[in-house]
Amino acid sequence: MSDVLQRLAEMLEARKNADPASSYVAKLYAKGNDTILKKIGEEATETVIAAKSGDRAQIVYETADLWFHTLVMLAHHGLSPDDVLNELARREGLSGLEEKAGRSK
């Protein structure tokens, strides 16, 4: 995992016990899964709009927001970026069709 992802994962874990009045992430955790998922939806939409416009700086900015909120969701569910990276590594070298066909129903 990149150093940035590792540091973010550690910070997100630490914020689980922080005062919601002192931390945006702690406030998201306190509000729960629905609020976290709503933020991911908002950020995904903003990322799509940025990509549609072709503004490279805005694409990067919005993708960073999307990734950040996705990392919050993962931590909320007791998962880490490594869990996702391990899944990507498992899929490496498989065609998308093979991977999809191999999923359990």
Side-chain angles (χ1 to χ4, degrees):
M1 178 173 10
S2 82
D3 290 343
V4 172
L5 285 178
Q6 181 64 41
R7 288 191 305 273
L8 274 172
E10 291 168 3
M11 179 275 296
L12 293 173
E13 195 61 36
R15 292 298 197 293
K16 286 182 176 180
N17 300 314
D19 177 4
S22 68
S23 164
Y24 171 72
V25 172
K27 185 184 291 188
L28 285 175
Y29 287 142
K31 289 184 176 184
N33 199 49
D34 286 349
T35 297
I36 294 167
L37 297 177
K38 181 179 175 190
K39 280 304 296 181
I40 292 172
E42 290 170 7
E43 299 302 343
T45 299
E46 291 170 3
T47 301
V48 168
I49 291 167
K52 186 142 177 70
S53 77
D55 181 333
R56 293 170 55 90
Q58 198 64 26
I59 293 167
V60 169
Y61 181 87
E62 296 301 346
T63 301
D65 282 351
L66 176 58
W67 286 14
F68 179 83
H69 287 90
T70 300
L71 291 170
V72 171
M73 179 270 303
L74 288 170
H76 180 71
H77 288 282
L79 297 165
S80 75
D82 275 337
D83 294 309
V84 177
L85 293 172
N86 289 337
E87 175 59 17
L88 289 172
R90 183 192 69 77
R91 295 179 187 188
E92 190 173 11
L94 293 176
S95 79
L97 296 174
E98 279 180 308
E99 193 282 322
K100 189 173 181 177
R103 292 181 197 171
S104 58
K105 303 285 182 207

